[in-house]
């Protein structure tokens, strides 16, 4: 039953994450990049906080100094660092290529889960990863691709960091649960990022950021660009794409495994492309369509054995006549 719920959460997470680019495109030109990043994280954290506090009270859990250190490190890696690198990568290379490389998440999640949690490497998982890599190559079309080395390093690092999220969640999920981990990860990560941006308003620190090529951290406004439409879109990307997306990832890890939590990114490129076509009338090249077919094949490679297993369990569970 838990495994079935986990795979339902994978589908829901893929659907939610697939709307992120569409929603953020709607905010383009309204807010500056790091303003969107920090405010959507804090909005998502505030939305989840009452539920997390109630969960702590209901389960009589007291957070220890070790827990707070864990949240601070997790927040720094998966919110402050990961989301900042993701935003910088979009500025330094093609957004489409960035999204595709980021979809390589399962490759790194598989390695992290095996090395840290000693999760087994299943044959169908390895085959799915291989098929996905072929799909990524078709979509990127290396023969014509011009990628910024800096942008590539940023998106690769961001992908590795988020791939570790499910693995690191698994370490304390049995005691704290996915809701508490997600909430305090976002609270501390959002506050850490906010502190970095506030420091950027100090002239000397802002100049240092610019000298290091981190211009997007300097003089970031926090209260400009707000209209009813932009506020609603910002709440959507904060509550759904950030808070609920992170929470579903943690819950998938809780009910399945850290490896399987990353398989959201086998489905996301297909759904995101369909949404881009419907909402923005974007055209899809032949090589991209071929790549998406490989992503679908990878998804089936993962899901079909699970569906067969669930069917066998259902038949076994039926009482004899």
């Amino acid at each position: 039953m838990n495994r079935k719920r986990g795979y339902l959460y994978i589908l829901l997470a893929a659907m939610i994450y697939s709307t992120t680019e569409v929603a953020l495109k709607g905010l383009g030109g309204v807010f500056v990049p790091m303003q969107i990043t920090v405010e959507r994280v804090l909005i998502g954290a505030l939305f989840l906080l009452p539920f997390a506090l109630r969960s702590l009270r209901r389960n009589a859990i007291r957070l220890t100094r070790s827990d707070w250190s864990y949240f601070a490190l997790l927040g720094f890696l998966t919110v402050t660092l990961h989301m900042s690198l993701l935003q910088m990568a979009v500025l330094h290379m093609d957004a489409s290529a960035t999204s595709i490389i980021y979809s390589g998440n399962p490759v790194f999640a598989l390695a992290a889960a095996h090395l840290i949690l000693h999760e087994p490497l299943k044959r169908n998982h390895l085959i799915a990863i291989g098929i996905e890599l072929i799909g990524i190559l078709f979509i990127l079309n290396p023969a014509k691709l011009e990628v910024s080395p800096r942008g590539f390093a940023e998106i690769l690092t961001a992908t590795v960091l988020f791939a570790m999220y499910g693995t690191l969640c698994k370490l304390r999920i049995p005691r704290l649960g996915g809701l508490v981990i997600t909430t305090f990860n976002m609270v501390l990560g959002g506050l850490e990022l906010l502190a970095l941006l506030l420091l950027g308003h100090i002239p000397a620190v802002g100049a240092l950021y610019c000298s290091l090529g981190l211009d997007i951290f300097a003089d970031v406004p926090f209260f400009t660009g707000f209209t009813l439409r932009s506020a609603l879109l910002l709440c959507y990307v904060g509550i759904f794409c950030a808070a609920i997306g992170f929470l579903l990832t943690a819950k998938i890890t809780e009910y399945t495994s850290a490896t399987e939590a990353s398989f959201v990114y086998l489905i996301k490129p297909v759904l995101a492309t369909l949404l881009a076509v419907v909402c923005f009338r974007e055209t899809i090249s032949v090589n991209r369509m071929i790549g998406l077919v490989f992503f679908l094949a990878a998804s089936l490679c993962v899901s079909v054995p699970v569906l067969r297993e669930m069917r066998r369990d259902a038949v076994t569970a039926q009482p004899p006549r």
Side-chain angles (χ1 to χ4, degrees):
M1 186 62 181
N2 280 348
R3 194 172 181 80
K4 188 182 294 185
R5 187 179 298 177
Y7 272 81
L8 174 62
Y9 287 164
I10 286 175
L11 183 59
L12 287 174
M15 291 171 67
I16 289 172
Y17 281 140
S18 299
T19 66
T20 303
E21 286 83 3
V22 174
L24 290 177
K25 193 165 184 176
L27 289 172
V30 180
F31 301 120
V32 299
M34 292 312 296
Q35 181 188 4
I36 297 173
T37 302
V38 71
E39 289 179 350
R40 77 186 185 103
V41 169
L42 291 175
I43 288 170
L46 287 173
F47 171 78
L48 291 177
L49 190 58
F51 303 103
L53 293 175
R54 187 173 65 180
S55 176
L56 288 173
R57 285 195 301 270
R58 186 174 62 245
N59 297 306
I61 297 172
R62 294 191 65 180
L63 297 179
T64 64
R65 185 178 298 179
S66 174
D67 290 329
W68 287 110
S69 298
Y70 166 76
F71 293 140
L73 176 62
L74 189 65
F76 179 74
L77 292 175
T78 62
V79 176
T80 306
L81 199 54
H82 154 257
M83 295 187 83
S84 298
L85 285 168
L86 192 59
Q87 191 62 63
M88 288 189 287
V90 172
L91 296 175
H92 295 137
M93 65 185 289
D94 178 73
S96 175
T98 301
S99 177
I100 293 159
I101 294 169
Y102 193 69
S103 296
N105 190 292
V107 178
F108 303 104
L110 188 72
H114 180 64
L115 293 173
I116 298 173
L117 301 175
H118 307 293
E119 290 186 358
L121 297 175
K122 295 182 180 179
R123 185 183 175 189
N124 67 306
H125 291 171
L126 292 172
I127 293 171
I129 296 301
I131 294 171
E132 183 210 21
L133 289 173
I134 296 171
I136 288 173
L137 287 174
F138 266 99
I139 295 171
L140 284 177
N141 194 10
K144 296 183 179 179
L145 182 66
E146 293 182 2
V147 175
S148 155
R150 174 176 173 174
F152 182 77
E154 288 166 345
I155 188 58
L156 196 63
T157 307
T159 304
V160 171
L161 288 171
F162 194 72
M164 291 178 64
Y165 174 65
T167 303
L168 295 173
C169 281
K170 195 81 171 180
L171 296 174
R172 300 210 180 193
I173 271 182
R175 190 173 81 83
L176 299 175
L179 175 60
V180 171
I181 290 175
T182 301
T183 302
F184 288 100
N185 168 50
M186 293 183 69
V187 168
L188 268 70
L191 291 176
E192 289 164 352
L193 182 56
L194 179 62
L196 287 175
L197 297 179
L198 288 173
L199 286 172
H201 285 269
I202 301 172
V205 178
L208 176 64
Y209 284 165
C210 292
S211 69
L212 295 172
L214 302 174
D215 309 55
I216 62 171
F217 287 86
D219 294 316
V220 174
F222 298 109
F223 304 106
T224 60
F226 281 95
T227 62
L228 178 61
R229 179 180 177 276
S230 65
L232 290 173
L233 272 176
L234 187 62
C235 286
Y236 175 80
V237 294
I239 293 171
F240 285 90
C241 302
I244 295 178
F246 268 85
L247 178 59
L248 284 172
T249 302
K251 285 291 186 182
I252 293 163
T253 304
E254 186 175 343
Y255 292 129
T256 58
S257 67
T259 297
E260 289 163 307
S262 68
F263 288 136
V264 168
Y265 290 91
L266 294 177
I267 306 169
K268 178 184 179 293
V270 180
L271 296 179
T273 301
L274 290 174
L275 278 173
V277 171
V278 172
C279 296
F280 299 115
R281 301 290 189 270
E282 291 185 6
T283 56
I284 309 176
S285 62
V286 173
N287 60 294
R288 179 162 294 193
M289 284 191 285
I290 295 171
L292 291 174
V293 169
F294 276 101
F295 269 93
L296 279 172
S299 302
L300 290 173
C301 191
V302 170
S303 59
V304 169
V306 175
L307 292 172
R308 285 177 179 168
E309 184 181 327
M310 289 177 181
R311 187 176 180 181
R312 281 198 303 269
D313 291 344
V315 171
T316 305
Q318 286 180 355
R321 293 182 180 179

